[in-house]
Each structure stands twice: as structure tokens, then as C-alpha cells.
Amino acid sequence: CGVMKLIGLTGVIGSGKSSVSQRLAQKGALVIDGDAIAKQLQHKGSPLLDKMVLAFGDVLLPSGELDRQKVAQIVFSDAEKLKQLNGIMHPAINDEIMRQIHEQIDTQHIVVLDMPLLVENPRTGFSALVIVDIDPETAISRLVSYRKMNEDDARKRMSSQATREQRLSVADRVIDNNGELSELQAQIDDLWDWFATLPEAKVGAGSLMQKSK
């Protein structure tokens, strides 16, 4: 019986944090993927999908699955609608994240919570918070080239997230993903060695911090 280490991993959209979490998984980390949980909760016929249709109208594809592009266009140009979406999604995502963390608490696993909004919605009890850093313009060009995202949509999404300075100011460790994948791997090898020096997670680790405002 041991106590896990809980690592927070985040970065702006297009930073490549998924590439980092995949490589950490190859090293033996157990990854809890916030985006994957959100998609799972929004599957065809789910209660959350019904709530989204009530809130935003016809946001379904002909197959009955969620039209994510349509939702993004609605919420990333309207702060109130984004708040409404977060009100629907965040409690359910949080419940599932905490369930998965709790399952691991007595293991000796290195658990990586890979989430887009860890700076905006801070959580307690991490062994460390790792930020994947990238020049915002590089992130935009990668989103347009690789994810085929519309540039205006990419900029709107980015502007709804914390600034680069805000992320870097709370980082325990920064991964620079401005370069090539080979440069990224060397940093991940160092990061993995550093995890061995970190304190274990405390009971309740991963819980959302209460906002004072």
C-alpha cells in the first residue's frame, strides 16, 4: 500500500499537453484526461447532452451525437453562454475526476490530471503543477495546420483561457513545447526523474479550490 503522487498538467489550447500526457503514460503514469471525460459525459442520449440541447438549441449532428464545432461557435463568442455551458459540464466532470483520483489514492501510481483549465479553476493538493508552455502564435498556427481549426475560433478559445503569464506564474515546472518532438522527449525524461522527488498527494487531493470572490 502506498500513496499516489498527483500531478496537474495544463497548457493553453494548442500547447501540445496531450503529447506530453501520452509520453508520461508511456513512462507508466496513469492519466486522467479531462477532455476525454467531457466527451464521454456528452455521448448520444446522455442526460448532459439533453441539458445542452435545452440550453443551446439544435446542437446535434444527424447521428444524434454532439456537434462540437457548433457548440464552440456559440459559446466562445458569448461569455454568458460559455458560463452556462460550464455550469452544465463542470460539476459532472469534477465528480468523475474525483472518483478516478479516489480509486488511485492508496496506490503508488503517478497520476497525471490532464486538463485545459487548471489555472482558471485551481485544485488543491497536487504534488506539482506542470505547465506546457508555447508561444501563443505558434499554438494558433498548429491549431490551424494540424487540427484544421478556423483561426478566429482558435483565437476566441485562447482568449477565454488564462494568459501565458498567469500560467507560468503558478507553474512548479514548465515544459517548453516550442521546438521539435525530440526536444520534448528529453524534457519528459527529466520531468519523470523529478517526479520521484515530489511529495505524495494528500487526502482530498484534486479537489476544486473554493473561490473567495
Side-chain angles (χ1 to χ4, degrees):
C1 158
V3 180
M4 66 167 188
K5 293 179 181 182
L6 181 63
I7 313 296
L9 176 71
T10 194
V12 74
I13 183 170
S15 61
K17 67 183 175 53
S18 300
S19 299
V20 174
S21 69
Q22 282 162 13
R23 284 165 173 74
L24 290 172
Q26 287 163 5
K27 291 266 190 193
L30 187 140
V31 176
I32 298 175
D33 182 337
D35 282 339
I37 288 171
K39 285 178 181 165
Q40 192 184 320
L41 291 167
Q42 294 164 339
H43 65 81
K44 181 178 175 179
S46 69
L48 281 189
L49 193 55
D50 292 344
K51 284 185 185 175
M52 288 176 71
V53 171
L54 278 173
F56 305 117
D58 180 16
V59 288
L60 301 181
L61 295 165
S63 64
E65 299 287 346
L66 181 64
D67 185 340
R68 294 178 200 288
Q69 189 64 39
K70 195 166 184 182
V71 174
Q73 285 166 349
I74 292 168
V75 301
F76 289 112
S77 53
D78 184 329
E80 277 308 305
K81 288 205 163 61
L82 181 58
K83 200 171 165 186
Q84 200 177 356
L85 175 66
N86 290 342
I88 293 169
M89 291 305 303
H90 283 184
I93 292 170
N94 185 56
D95 287 350
E96 178 59 18
I97 283 169
M98 293 312 296
R99 186 191 70 74
Q100 291 191 24
I101 290 173
H102 187 72
E103 276 184 351
Q104 301 298 324
I105 193 74
D106 288 329
T107 70
Q108 291 183 328
H109 290 149
I110 289 176
V111 178
V112 174
L113 176 57
D114 171 358
M115 280 201 82
L117 301 175
L118 283 180
V119 174
E120 297 82 345
N121 301 305
R123 291 173 178 269
T124 61
F126 285 128
S127 306
L129 179 62
V130 177
I131 302 291
V132 183
D133 181 53
I134 191 170
D135 179 276
E137 289 306 314
T138 305
I140 295 286
S141 70
R142 286 182 187 178
L143 288 167
V144 172
S145 305
Y146 302 130
R147 286 209 219 165
K148 307 300 178 204
M149 200 178 273
N150 172 288
E151 186 176 334
D152 285 346
D153 287 349
R155 289 188 188 280
K156 279 176 188 166
R157 290 197 199 201
M158 193 175 274
S159 68
S160 75
Q161 297 183 344
T163 65
R164 189 181 192 183
E165 290 70 27
Q166 285 168 329
R167 278 189 300 279
L168 294 176
S169 70
V170 294
D172 295 310
R173 184 90 174 212
V174 176
I175 295 288
D176 177 350
N177 196 21
N178 287 291
E180 299 302 317
L181 284 177
S182 56
E183 297 168 58
L184 183 63
Q185 188 61 51
Q187 293 180 75
I188 286 168
D189 292 342
D190 287 345
L191 183 69
W192 187 257
D193 292 343
W194 179 67
F195 286 167
T197 70
L198 294 175
E200 293 162 340
K202 296 178 177 60
V203 175
S207 304
L208 280 165
M209 285 186 194
Q210 298 303 312
K211 294 198 175 174
S212 48
K213 52 185 178 185

